[in-house]
Amino acid sequence: MGALRPVGRTLLRDTAYAAIRDAIVCGELPPGEPVRDADLAGRLGLSRAPVRDALARLAEEGLVETKPQSYTRVTRLDPRAVREAAVVVRAMHELAARTGVPLLGADDVSAMREANDRFLRATRSGEVGEALRADDDLHDVLVRACGNRAVAATIARFTPLLRRLEWRRFAEAGALESAARHERLIDACAAGDADEAAGITATIWHSLEALADDPGSAPVPGEQADTAPVPGERAGGGQDDVP
């Protein structure tokens, strides 16, 4: 089932944001796809107001681009933006590990091991979305433990840019190597070695910077960013004019 499906009625703005973000990350809404708040609201079973709020937030985060009175669409893949985001995310996760490890309990370490088990199972069965969710769950243990809301907000802000490229470039061999690094990270956390955990974390996230530099991750023909309206889009077609 796709990410764009009817959602519950609580926290509608956040729910709409998460659903549209996930659809962009997994490619259900591909690069360059025009988006209309009315269409998305219908697919999600929501009113247009929370969808508009979600699109505004996604525009701030670089997943949607809007030209007033012309179009709103999914941004093209931009390796430079991914590389810049990867540097920031790596630094935040490294800080989370360095400050969070001394605060971990046995349950936290167990949660990391369980998440890595799910990551491995999903990798072997080719479930990319589940693998990336498990990866997020594993690292989020340290993010929560560190208790720094600015770190958590920055990671949440920039990680979707990375996941979008990872989804397209996901490979079992690389994922299995990530699982082995996770094990070393978990062992360092269990031992209370914050410096070792921070170093391993930096290595894990540095690999995404390399992914952005990989020629194979460059935009496919037609995905270069531009400012021309999408063919067939009327003025103001990205978001309907009627409130």
Side-chain angles (χ1 to χ4, degrees):
M1 184 178 292
L4 293 174
R5 57 186 184 274
V7 298
R9 304 298 296 181
T10 59
L11 300 175
L12 298 183
R13 177 176 56 189
D14 292 340
T15 305
Y17 162 78
I20 300 168
R21 177 203 63 200
D22 291 350
I24 293 172
V25 168
C26 75
E28 185 178 344
L29 292 174
E33 177 85 357
V35 291
R36 297 174 182 269
D37 53 15
D39 292 343
L40 292 173
R43 294 172 71 178
L44 293 168
L46 297 173
S47 67
R48 287 162 53 187
V51 172
R52 284 179 168 173
D53 288 341
L55 290 175
R57 181 175 171 186
L58 290 163
E60 291 176 356
E61 296 181 358
L63 293 175
V64 167
E65 59 184 351
T66 299
K67 183 176 181 180
Q69 303 303 314
S70 184
Y71 60 79
T72 298
R73 64 189 179 195
V74 178
T75 56
R76 270 63 170 177
L77 289 167
D78 183 352
R80 178 180 177 180
V82 173
R83 188 163 49 250
E84 292 173 349
V87 171
V88 173
V89 170
R90 170 171 56 84
M92 293 298 98
H93 276 292
E94 186 177 356
L95 177 59
R98 196 174 300 280
T99 59
V101 166
L103 304 174
L104 293 176
D107 288 346
D108 295 316
V109 175
S110 295
M112 294 177 75
R113 293 197 189 281
E114 187 275 334
N116 199 34
D117 287 343
R118 283 191 284 116
F119 179 83
L120 269 172
R121 289 196 300 271
T123 294
R124 288 166 175 160
S125 61
E127 299 176 40
V128 179
E130 181 55 35
L132 295 180
R133 281 188 288 274
D135 187 73
D136 283 337
D137 289 345
L138 186 153
H139 292 287
D140 281 350
V141 172
L142 287 167
V143 174
R144 289 193 301 271
C146 85
N148 188 320
R149 287 179 293 180
V151 166
T154 302
I155 288 172
R157 160 70 175 80
F158 289 103
T159 297
L161 290 172
L162 312 184
R163 293 309 194 200
R164 191 180 180 198
L165 183 56
E166 280 188 281
W167 196 291
R168 290 168 62 98
R169 301 281 297 160
F170 191 86
E172 183 175 352
L176 292 175
E177 183 179 355
S178 292
R181 288 173 177 163
H182 290 162
E183 284 295 335
R184 295 198 298 273
L185 171 61
I186 295 167
D187 288 343
C189 290
D193 191 337
D195 289 339
E196 177 70 6
I200 296 169
T201 297
T203 299
I204 290 170
W205 290 98
H206 182 72
S207 66
L208 294 183
E209 297 172 45
L211 182 65
D213 288 329
D214 187 335
S217 68
V220 297
E223 283 194 357
Q224 296 295 333
D226 59 32
T227 57
V230 176
E233 284 283 279
R234 63 176 175 81
Q239 298 186 31
D240 297 317
D241 298 326
V242 181

